[in-house]
Amino acid sequence: METEIKKIIEEFLTKTGFDFTSVSSELDMDSGSFWFDIESSDSRFLIGKDGETIQSINYLVRRFVDKKYQENSPRVTVDINKYQKSKIEKIKTIAHMMAERARFFKSSIELEPMNSFERRVVHEYVSNHSDISSESAGFGKNRHVVISFVK
């Protein structure tokens, strides 16, 4: 399955004309998802402004994989030169700081607007803490996470 998904990604990149050196994969044991890291000298084009292109690539690859595997479709994330992993670490750091702030002030803290991927990272981080909860609020581009202290 992993090699077939890798072929889907390589074919997609080749047909779209993006230059890439290699595609490596690993299974994330925590989430059970496959991570495919693309090494490329065209990373700024593949990532795009504020990560918009990489989001689109992830969406399209997920649709290809869903179509191929249907009900047994694995969770797939495409990364470019480890951009996503570093971004996830930054988001987790922000979530940790805001969770500590919510604990200290025993209140709710609103984060900056985030896309759905970033909000999911925050929700997953917060779910590991019993005294903190999170929920998404707002609409469209203003959708954000609210981290709250739970007594």
Side-chain angles (χ1 to χ4, degrees):
M1 178 184 303
E2 193 171 342
T3 56
E4 292 172 346
I5 297 171
K6 185 177 176 181
K7 286 180 184 176
I8 290 171
I9 294 169
E10 289 172 343
E11 184 178 342
F12 171 76
L13 292 170
T14 302
K15 287 185 176 182
T16 54
F18 286 115
D19 182 36
F20 67 98
T21 310
S22 67
V23 178
S24 59
S25 63
E26 69 178 78
L27 176 63
D28 183 4
M29 298 307 277
D30 294 335
S31 65
S33 65
F34 287 105
W35 277 82
F36 292 89
D37 188 41
I38 299 167
E39 290 194 25
S40 173
S41 58
D42 279 347
S43 61
R44 66 186 176 128
F45 297 115
L46 286 165
I47 294 168
K49 184 181 180 209
D50 297 326
E52 289 179 357
T53 307
I54 195 171
Q55 279 182 282
S56 299
I57 291 170
N58 269 291
Y59 176 80
L60 291 171
V61 168
R62 286 183 190 128
R63 296 295 69 87
F64 295 144
V65 171
D66 287 347
K67 185 175 182 182
K68 181 171 180 80
Y69 294 104
Q70 296 172 359
E71 298 90 33
N72 300 326
S73 183
R75 192 183 220 181
V76 174
T77 303
V78 177
D79 199 355
I80 314 293
N81 294 344
K82 305 209 184 309
Y83 171 83
Q84 294 272 65
K85 286 197 178 192
S86 67
K87 188 167 188 158
I88 288 171
E89 289 307 312
K90 288 177 188 173
I91 293 168
K92 285 181 180 178
T93 301
I94 291 169
H96 174 75
M97 290 177 3
M98 295 301 126
E100 290 299 319
R101 187 175 288 177
R103 275 189 195 107
F104 183 79
F105 292 110
K106 296 181 177 19
S107 65
S108 298
I109 306 293
E110 291 188 12
L111 278 65
E112 294 293 319
M114 299 177 172
N115 63 42
S116 61
F117 176 79
E118 294 167 341
R119 290 193 311 271
R120 188 178 77 222
V121 171
V122 173
H123 291 309
E124 287 175 358
Y125 176 82
V126 170
S127 70
N128 296 326
H129 300 86
S130 60
D131 62 337
I132 300 292
S133 69
S134 66
E135 65 180 346
S136 292
F139 297 98
K141 293 275 186 191
N142 293 322
R143 194 133 171 95
H144 60 280
V145 176
V146 178
I147 297 177
S148 303
F149 176 73
V150 178
K151 296 179 183 179

